[in-house]
Amino acid sequence: MEMNMTEAEHHEIHHGEVAITERVVNFAFQMAITVLAIACPCALGLATPTAVMVGTGVGYKNGILIKGGEALEKAQKIDCVVFDKTGTITYGKPTVSVFQILTSKMPKSDIIRIVGSAESQSEHPLGTAVCNYAKQELKTEVVEKISDFKAVPGSGIECTVASKHGVLIGNRSWMTSNGLKITKDVNAMMKQHEELGRTAVLVSIDGLLCAMIAISDQLKPEAQQVVHVLQKKLGCKVVLLTGDNQITAKAIAREVGIFEVFAEVLPTHKADKVKDLQAAGKTVAMVGDGVNDSPALVTADVGISFKTGTDVAAEAADIVLMNDNLEDIVAAIDLSKAVVRRIKYNFVFASAYNVIGVPIAAGCFVPIGFSLQPWMASAAMALSSVSVVTSSLLLKKYTKPFFDSSWKKGDMLKEDEVLIQTGRNFIDKIATSLANISEKISNGSNNIVGEKFASLPNTCEGEKNEQIARIDGTLVESRDEKEYLLLDAQNDSDSETDL
């Protein structure tokens, strides 16, 4: 009879309960080894780093340098894109369109020479444009000696040329804060150029307002289409953040299709505007290329700069676009979404192996005759890692979003479609200006100015109601947030500038 027994039955008869215990322990140990092998989290550990590594490589091949996985992960959450103007929306290579002389007391060549010499010390793109214009007009590289040079961000410059000419170059507020009078004709001339998207600056030499310079910077041809894609297809809020005056900023915004603008923002305040947007619950991307954009680039959730920009901006940014093309902003966001989507797929693959494989490896299906050997579990574990890596490598097939070259430029936005907000506090500006004016008024008038200024109503930044305060023949006007200081002193004849 024993000859017809199986080995297991023979072992059980001769060894009894010891044989059964040995079989149980053997089975449990085998299942434990199998579970340990198939549950190894190699695939889960590879899911994210492999996708990020391939994604950053693909980005670089497409001209998008992404500094690490954190920037890549945050970029797919962006719902607000803030653009600087000069060098971002525009090419950042401004040129002088108009050099209008406002006085007959000095030859034009002398004015150009003095202005060109003063701007030779400026690092601002507009200053460079004026300096280049002067050299081209005078056909010389020689500049006068400059001393006491001072640049005030967002306002203008002040210096002494050839040790005898006191020079001021800048915007309206810079001139008025230094006690100069801007006539209605000059203001209207500046406004005309600003409505064309140009930047208008004034020149004062030895206390005489003698020139108005209109500087233009060509818009990038893809700007309007990129803004349209960000707003309509990606659902992002787009904001223009610039130090330019409100008229120029509004003209640029209308042309490219941006509905919200922060104008006249000092470089030191750009980061504050980004924080305001973040406080409103937005995930903000800041796009800029200048030194003055660096604080905002660091403050934003994702800072985006260009290789063609300054080294400081490129260092501060999380993403650097190797090509000076705004379309790559859309590509960076799209690539980020593709990488994060691939990471999620990888986690699904890795988890699926464990969800399905662990119960089988644990012996749950042994009663129906189905089980895994340890070597099978090891092979399944290796296969899960291979599948995750293969999934990540599929990112190499990524292509940038297609921009239709035949896309037709849309119509400009209407005046009332663009919301303009100023970056300066109205009351602070008036207080500074009146303080300078009061120094030039007689002692008797000083008290009147102080009393009347104290009676001015509180005005919050951004209010659009027209505010007019007339103080001793001086008109302080802020209409629809256009904060101009028109100084009509005593007699019109005294305030007129030679044209």
Side-chain angles (χ1 to χ4, degrees), residues 69-86:
E70 185 177 359
L72 194 62
E73 189 271 336
K74 284 185 177 180
Q76 57 95 22
K77 297 179 181 178
I78 291 172
D79 56 6
C80 179
V81 181
V82 179
F83 285 99
D84 175 47
K85 183 182 78 69
T86 304

Side-chain angles (χ1 to χ4, degrees), residues 101-132:
I101 301 301
L102 304 178
T103 181
S104 59
K105 296 181 180 180
M106 292 183 68
K108 181 178 180 179
S109 59
D110 287 351
I111 295 174
I112 293 176
R113 175 175 51 80
I114 293 172
V115 171
S117 298
E119 290 289 13
S120 67
Q121 300 296 309
S122 175
E123 297 180 352
H124 196 282
L126 299 183
T128 303
V130 174
C131 185
N132 291 337

Side-chain angles (χ1 to χ4, degrees), residues 244-461:
D244 268 338
N245 67 77
Q246 298 175 53
I247 301 176
T248 301
K250 190 172 187 177
I252 296 295
R254 289 181 61 201
E255 190 166 352
V256 299
I258 297 177
F259 293 92
E260 187 170 349
V261 179
F262 290 112
E264 300 183 17
V265 181
L266 295 175
T268 53
H269 295 164
K270 286 188 175 182
D272 294 335
K273 296 300 179 184
V274 172
K275 289 179 181 177
D276 291 343
L277 292 169
Q278 290 173 325
K282 297 292 184 181
T283 301
V284 181
M286 174 67 195
V287 186
D289 72 327
V291 174
N292 58 348
D293 299 320
S294 299
L297 289 170
V298 173
T299 303
D301 296 286
V302 179
I304 302 176
S305 187
F306 300 90
K307 183 183 178 182
T308 54
T310 62
D311 293 339
V312 175
E315 182 67 25
D318 301 299
I319 298 175
V320 179
L321 306 181
M322 310 304 288
N323 304 313
D324 190 16
N325 193 322
L326 295 176
E327 294 176 359
D328 287 345
I329 297 172
V330 176
I333 297 174
D334 185 66
L335 175 60
S336 172
K337 291 183 176 182
V339 171
V340 171
R341 188 165 53 246
R342 183 58 56 181
I343 290 173
K344 291 177 181 178
Y345 291 161
N346 289 349
F347 276 119
V348 170
F349 286 138
S351 298
Y353 274 99
N354 286 351
V355 170
I356 297 173
V358 169
I360 298 175
C364 294
F365 296 92
V366 169
I368 62 174
F370 184 67
S371 64
L372 288 179
Q373 297 296 322
W375 69 267
M376 296 179 182
S378 299
M381 181 272 293
L383 186 62
S384 69
S385 298
V386 171
S387 67
V388 166
V389 173
T390 303
S391 173
S392 296
L393 289 174
L394 290 176
L395 282 170
K396 286 194 170 186
K397 294 185 177 181
Y398 172 83
T399 56
K400 293 196 294 186
F402 173 74
F403 281 81
D404 190 359
S405 58
S406 62
W407 189 80
K408 294 183 179 179
K409 192 174 182 180
D411 296 331
M412 291 181 64
L413 297 179
K414 297 178 181 179
E415 285 275 350
D416 57 357
E417 288 184 302
V418 180
L419 173 63
I420 296 285
Q421 300 182 58
T422 181
R424 305 175 185 227
N425 185 279
F426 175 71
I427 292 297
D428 289 343
K429 289 182 70 179
I430 298 301
T432 302
S433 300
L434 290 182
N436 289 317
I437 294 169
S438 65
E439 294 177 0
K440 302 179 183 297
I441 300 178
S442 62
N443 293 333
S445 297
N446 279 344
N447 295 331
I448 298 175
V449 171
E451 291 172 2
K452 292 191 176 181
F453 175 70
S455 65
L456 280 175
N458 291 331
T459 305
C460 295
E461 175 185 348

